[in-house]
Amino acid sequence: EREPTRSGSVLDLLARAPTLRTAGILLDQLHGTFDSAVRRILASPDLAGLRELARYASVGRHLVTPWKVVIAGPPNVGKSSLVNALAGYQRTVVSDVAGTTRDAVSVQLAFDGWPVELTDTAGLRDAVGLEAEGIERGRRVLSEADVVVWVMDARKAPVADAPGSPELLHVWNKADLVTKSVPGSAVSAKTGHGIPELVAEIVRCLIPNPPPPGAAVPYSPELADRVEAAVAATDRGEAVRLLRDCLTAG
């Protein structure tokens, strides 16, 4: 006998969905897409379809909680201006004085319908006092980022990469002030040059495999963990147990 879809937990998540795109994915799961896929996999002798389901685990972790994208780099390369350009409005303090940003400042955005928390950090350098505290907070934010956009001044020599960055995108800002070509992405926070391309690159890095409409998605961090653990399980019995837990969790 078919178990009922756990509509209560999906409805709770649906009410918290920050974008129409993630709400659409949750609505598909509310209609039983994920549960039906799990039952089909359990009915298959070789658990066919499990790896396909696991492809969307990362998406399932971020249907309500945004991906974390951190803008980092040395002082006075235009990080705050770049955040403002990406956000579409002035969200952070912009100044030509190095060390203006004293703390990590975040803004909630949607890139191509995906929820993103964009964080501006203090320029990484040796400092003292309040600026040093802001830099230390910025380093902590870097360690939690899904993607770090490492910003450099197109007029200057490259600077060492951010420490401990899982995914790193190199961006040369102030491209409007130079005529030479630069290796990698060139943008101008002032004119908007390269900003759409940068957004597309961030999205590709965060969501390399976006689910098509109607796809089954493990729609919470807990379900995503169970599905990935089922793929990694060396024993079929353990994989089956984890998948059955997906039908009773929540």
Side-chain angles (χ1 to χ4, degrees), residues 57 61 218 220-231 242 246:
R61 291 188 178 96
S220 71
E222 294 77 17
L223 292 176
D225 288 346
R226 286 187 176 95
V227 169
E228 288 188 333
V231 171
L242 288 162
C246 288

Side-chain angles (χ1 to χ4, degrees), residues 192-214:
H193 169 77
I195 297 299
E197 291 79 7
L198 175 58
V199 169
E201 191 173 357
I202 292 172
V203 170
R204 282 194 297 271
C205 195
L206 291 172
I207 311 105
N209 298 303

Side-chain angles (χ1 to χ4, degrees), residues 17 21 47 59 79 83 86-88 90 110 138 170-171 173-174 178 182 191 212 216 227 243:
R21 186 164 192 171
L47 301 183
V59 171
K79 296 185 299 297
V83 170
L86 290 166
Q90 184 155 323
H170 293 87
V171 174
N173 191 25
K174 306 185 182 182
V178 299
V182 294
T191 67
V227 169
L243 289 172

